[in-house]
Amino acid sequence: MLIEMSRAIQRDRNWFLKNQSAVVRFRPVDNDEFAPLHAVGEVPPAFRPSICKQDTELRWVAVVDLMRLSGQTSMREGDSSLRLRLLIPEIRSLKRRQQVEAELLDAIAAELLSAMENDTTNLAA
């Protein structure tokens, strides 16, 4: 189980090193990639783009590099990173991937801003 996740993480790391300007990687889900979450009764995070039907099977993963999303533009071997993996429907066309990427990044940014606002409100109270 953990071996599969390590391979997926390593492949994603290598992909982002080769694709320095990318913020999101779309790929098929690896076998048992989310098994550690399932083993403890958790459900993997998921994102259903507005261009997909609600019952579309989630067979792919969107890997989002949060460091790049925050503005860090260069990454070298050994640099720290923070990536979010979400189950998504299969998105094959480049045009649709671009649409989904924009929608996904907007949703993540909105969620992060909301969390920051809640923290600020809680600190002020």
Side-chain angles (χ1 to χ4, degrees):
M1 270 189 297
L2 293 176
I3 293 171
E4 278 300 319
M5 187 59 161
S6 296
R7 284 188 210 142
I9 289 170
Q10 186 61 46
R11 283 192 301 275
D12 291 338
R13 183 177 295 131
N14 291 338
W15 188 90
F16 278 105
L17 282 170
K18 291 176 185 171
N19 297 275
Q20 288 288 317
S21 63
V23 177
V24 179
R25 177 183 188 201
F26 295 102
R27 62 169 173 76
V29 70
D30 280 1
N31 289 338
D32 297 326
E33 182 169 352
F34 292 100
L37 286 175
H38 292 297
V40 295
E42 294 292 327
V43 177
F47 179 74
R48 287 193 185 276
S50 61
I51 62 171
C52 297
K53 295 177 183 175
Q54 285 301 312
D55 61 347
T56 304
E57 189 177 351
L58 304 174
R59 297 185 302 163
W60 274 31
V61 175
V63 183
V64 181
D65 190 306
L66 297 176
M67 300 302 284
R68 291 185 185 177
L69 179 61
S70 72
Q72 181 179 339
T73 56
S74 64
M75 188 175 112
R76 296 172 305 216
E77 187 74 39
D79 281 354
S80 295
S81 65
L82 180 61
R83 295 193 186 97
L84 178 62
R85 286 170 176 72
L86 301 125
L87 289 171
I88 63 167
E90 182 176 356
I91 312 290
R92 289 222 176 252
S93 88
L94 179 59
K95 184 178 179 181
R96 294 189 86 150
R97 284 185 191 184
Q98 290 169 336
Q99 281 181 278
V100 169
E101 180 173 343
E103 186 178 338
L104 175 59
L105 294 179
D106 285 349
I108 291 171
E111 186 73 22
L112 291 172
L113 286 173
S114 176
M116 288 171 44
E117 288 172 358
N118 287 339
D119 285 349
T120 303
T121 302
N122 290 338
L123 289 175

